Amino acid sequence: MRKSRFLVNFLIFVAGFVQNSLAESVSPSEARQLRDEVRGMFYHAFDGYMQHAFPLDELRPLSCTGEDSLGGYALTLIDSLDTLVLFGDKERFTAAVDWISKHLRFDLDKTVSVFETTIRVLGGLLSAHLIASDYATGMKIQSYDDQLLHMAEDLGQRLLPAFDTPTGIPFGSVNLLHGVDENESKITSTAGGGTLTLEFGILSRLTGNPVYEQVTKNAVHGIWARRSKINLVGAHINVFTGEWTQKDAGIGTSIDSFYEYLLKAYLLFGDEEYLFIFQEAYRAAMNYLHNDPWYVEVNMNSAAMVWPLFNSLQAFWPGLQVLAGDINPAIRTHAAFFSVWKKYGFTPEGFNLATFSVQYGQKSYPLRPELIESTYWLFKATRDTRYLDAGRDMVASLQYGARCPCGYCHISDVESHKQDDHMESFFLAETVKYLWLLFDLAVGPDNIVENGPYKYIFSTEGHLFPASPEISLVHEHCSYFGGFCRRDGTSRSQKPLDQQQKNGSGSQSDWGSFGLPSCSKSGGSMSMSSFIKGACPGLSHSQKYGIPYS
């Protein structure tokens, strides 16, 4: 009954503007024009930042000034590095890397968000290092000598004290000079504690120091071990006691990227444990949170509905479903989410599914990329031009509603389109990046992601992490991007989620289609079985990888 009511409301809601969706689809020539327009959007904002805000963290695009919003370390420049790479702008990329190498330091008496610093700064440094140091990318800097990697290691060391908790789940904030303050809150979000595995895992592989990867895996264990009996996790947790302080389960605010990094950690590192947890968590989310085509928030223990609310951070979910191979529900959910964008020109932070109106107090659109990200992934999976049409609408909204003198402004009210003097760094790291990738893919891709030497995983901040041998060759598993060795030395590839579960829920994920190298039998004196985690006769998959409840 509940699902039927949501579906009826949705059909009534979209009927009012179906006629508008019949506009002529984006042609190849228009896609090329849109791609060039998005490139211009990036440089309008990037040049505005460099001229009026740099080296402060972020641009105030209405007043053409700057502000230190996170830590005072040229945040927007670091966050923008791999977008410059996508555009092939080697001159600006080289200049940025050179400035950062000479001027940036992290021995600052500043308390920063562990989550935001990891995904924006640590991720930006690692992505740029992997590109600048590799001839195969076409963007290698001749004078580069691993300066960004050394800086990333220094930053990683300064973040480590946050993980010193009884549960292994990190504090939300840490002082870069003094560690965790004695008065620091013991409450953190599930996303904040469980969305660090990619950046810290890469840092371990590049430095040879396993501690970074281990502490973030411990954090995931600490959260998952405290899941409910129906495999749902709450929004906020006490890092000392492990008690849930907010038991609302959902796929949006405070939880979203926990799901995202479970699957992406498997795709990048080949660690089956992450895949197993993702499958369990995803199955529970689809069972208890999914009110087709929407998602709601429920009590993590009883599954009783708490909030019939679409919040804008949920919009990453269809893109994640594409990576998992679950295409059909992704298509339906994206259509529902995009209907909200069509109604207002942007997605508000909260949209009430009971009244089908903007949620009180959640009227803003802070230039978020999540819906655009899912649009890109669905076009990549289906090549359906409806996603190009959606991208065209998004460009129009940003150009006519958010563009301001020196960059792009937050929208403080999606109904009035009132502008706010703020531009988050993720606008350049993600929002315009995914728009450009969408139209470049339509034109005939000419970028490092589609035609480069590696397959890339995007971090939750949109940073490019290559599935290169030094990153993805996980010795404990003898795996290379999902290929696992049998005892006879041959390899088998992990299938996308839809093929594993045989649920017939969509076409195959792009990740399951390319060939995987066989693992060599002549890998030294160690036996093959010693590389296979949990290779114990008679143990089930759940027994090998299941994490007991705390």
Side-chain angles (χ1 to χ4, degrees):
M1 178 65 70
R2 187 171 60 187
K3 292 185 178 181
S4 298
R5 184 176 70 252
F6 279 121
L7 183 57
V8 169
N9 285 342
F10 172 59
L11 293 174
I12 294 172
F13 179 64
V14 301
F17 57 80
V18 165
Q19 187 173 357
N20 294 333
S21 67
L22 300 178
E24 186 176 345
S25 293
V26 172
S27 65
S29 62
E30 187 180 2
R32 185 174 288 104
Q33 293 171 356
L34 286 164
R35 179 193 62 181
D36 295 341
E37 183 176 356
V38 172
R39 184 187 180 100
M41 291 168 63
F42 172 83
Y43 281 109
H44 171 62
F46 181 79
D47 292 343
Y49 166 74
M50 294 301 294
Q51 292 170 17
H52 302 290
F54 175 78
L56 300 178
D57 279 341
E58 291 181 326
L59 172 69
R60 295 175 62 87
L62 267 178
S63 58
C64 297
T65 57
E67 60 181 334
D68 276 336
S69 53
L70 187 61
Y73 30 54
L75 171 64
T76 296
L77 181 63
I78 296 173
D79 229 1
S80 304
L81 290 173
D82 54 12
T83 310
L84 292 170
V85 169
L86 269 182
F87 293 156
D89 193 341
K90 191 169 184 178
E91 180 180 354
R92 282 187 176 89
F93 177 65
T94 301
V97 170
D98 182 63
W99 185 90
I100 292 169
S101 300
K102 292 177 180 177
H103 296 95
L104 203 62
R105 298 177 60 179
F106 295 115
D107 54 343
L108 306 170
D109 187 8
K110 292 192 175 182
T111 298
V112 300
S113 162
V114 173
F115 171 72
E116 297 291 354
T117 303
T118 296
I119 66 171
R120 300 199 201 194
V121 183
L122 184 60
L125 292 174
L126 290 171
S127 175
H129 161 74
L130 288 163
I131 293 166
S133 61
D134 190 345
Y135 279 105
T137 64
M139 298 290 285
K140 178 174 171 58
I141 299 173
Q142 295 299 326
S143 60
Y144 181 71
D145 190 26
D146 294 345
Q147 295 97 323
L148 300 188
L149 177 59
H150 298 320
M151 296 175 67
E153 186 173 18
D154 175 57
L155 179 58
Q157 283 290 326
R158 297 178 185 279
L159 296 176
L160 279 180
F163 294 86
D164 186 14
T165 67
T167 63
I169 305 168
F171 286 99
S173 300
V174 65
N175 186 284
L176 294 176
L177 199 59
H178 304 297
V180 178
D181 187 89
E182 61 180 7
N183 296 317
E184 175 61 35
S185 171
K186 295 180 175 62
I187 309 302
T188 194
S189 70
T190 297
T195 313
L196 311 166
T197 49
L198 295 189
E199 291 82 3
F200 275 72
I202 290 172
L203 187 59
S204 278
R205 281 159 173 71
L206 296 180
T207 62
N209 185 349
V211 68
Y212 306 111
E213 184 169 9
Q214 190 58 58
V215 295
T216 52
K217 177 173 272 194
N218 288 345
V220 172
H221 286 172
I223 292 170
W224 187 241
R226 292 165 176 85
R227 67 197 182 277
S228 71
K229 297 296 183 181
I230 55 175
N231 285 340
L232 293 177
V233 293
H236 291 93
I237 193 168
N238 186 305
V239 301
F240 265 60
T241 66
E243 295 294 321
W244 293 100
T245 58
Q246 184 180 353
K247 298 182 180 181
D248 301 349
I251 61 166
T253 303
S254 300
I255 303 177
D256 51 355
S257 48
F258 172 74
Y259 290 99
E260 178 185 3
Y261 267 36
L262 289 175
L263 180 58
K264 289 183 175 179
Y266 164 69
L267 291 175
L268 188 60
F269 302 138
D271 188 333
E272 273 196 314
E273 185 172 8
Y274 287 117
L275 176 63
F276 177 73
I277 298 173
F278 173 76
Q279 289 176 313
E280 295 291 297
Y282 181 78
R283 189 177 295 113
M286 295 303 287
N287 190 27
Y288 299 108
L289 308 177
H290 188 211
N291 283 269
D292 199 0
W294 306 97
Y295 290 80
V296 297
E297 294 183 9
V298 305
N299 179 276
M300 63 180 290
N301 296 309
S302 67
M305 185 187 297
V306 178
W307 293 106
L309 192 71
F310 158 58
N311 71 69
S312 60
L313 289 175
Q314 293 178 357
F316 87 101
W317 189 260
L320 184 67
Q321 290 181 306
V322 170
L323 290 181
D326 207 4
I327 306 295
N328 285 344
I331 291 172
R332 295 192 298 273
T333 293
H334 180 276
F337 291 174
F338 182 60
S339 71
V340 180
W341 182 291
K342 288 282 286 185
K343 180 175 176 65
Y344 300 106
F346 303 100
T347 46
E349 289 291 78
F351 181 76
N352 192 300
L353 300 177
T355 62
F356 269 68
S357 61
V358 177
Q359 178 72 11
Y360 179 76
Q362 299 185 31
K363 294 184 175 183
S364 66
Y365 169 68
L367 304 176
R368 291 202 185 278
E370 284 78 13
L371 185 60
I372 298 170
E373 176 186 0
S374 288
T375 304
Y376 162 68
W377 282 112
L378 277 164
F379 179 69
K380 186 170 184 176
T382 67
R383 295 304 197 270
D384 191 323
T385 57
R386 80 175 87 171
Y387 300 110
L388 297 179
D389 301 342
R392 175 175 58 190
D393 286 347
M394 293 165 176
V395 169
S397 293
L398 290 167
Q399 289 286 63
Y400 293 107
R403 190 179 177 102
C404 44
C406 299
Y408 288 81
C409 289
H410 283 197
I411 303 299
S412 61
D413 187 333
V414 298
E415 293 178 311
S416 68
H417 286 197
K418 181 181 178 181
Q419 293 182 339
D420 185 43
D421 193 14
H422 192 60
M423 186 182 83
E424 293 258 16
S425 66
F426 59 64
F427 179 73
L428 297 178
E430 299 181 83
T431 306
V432 292
K433 178 182 287 174
Y434 286 118
L435 274 174
W436 189 86
L437 283 169
L438 171 68
F439 295 117
D440 191 57
L441 188 59
V443 170
D446 182 22
N447 63 73
I448 193 173
V449 170
E450 308 296 345
N451 295 335
Y454 314 110
K455 293 290 183 180
Y456 283 89
I457 295 292
F458 290 86
S459 76
T460 195
E461 186 70 10
H463 291 307
L464 309 179
F465 294 150
S468 61
E470 67 176 332
I471 301 300
S472 292
L473 190 61
V474 186
H475 299 295
E476 310 91 85
H477 302 266
C478 188
S479 67
Y480 178 81
F481 206 66
F484 292 83
C485 288
R486 302 180 192 275
R487 293 174 186 271
D488 61 2
T490 61
S491 68
R492 61 180 176 85
S493 61
Q494 290 295 318
K495 300 297 183 184
L497 188 66
D498 64 330
Q499 294 188 12
Q500 292 178 26
Q501 296 179 336
K502 302 295 183 184
N503 59 13
S505 55
S507 58
Q508 180 170 317
S509 164
D510 187 58
W511 296 103
S513 59
F514 47 85
L516 298 164
S518 296
C519 300
S520 171
K521 295 182 184 180
S522 56
S525 59
M526 296 181 70
S527 67
M528 187 59 65
S529 62
S530 66
F531 285 102
I532 303 176
K533 181 175 180 180
C536 304
L539 290 184
S540 68
H541 201 78
S542 178
Q543 287 170 322
K544 284 189 288 185
Y545 299 112
I547 300 172
Y549 296 100
S550 291

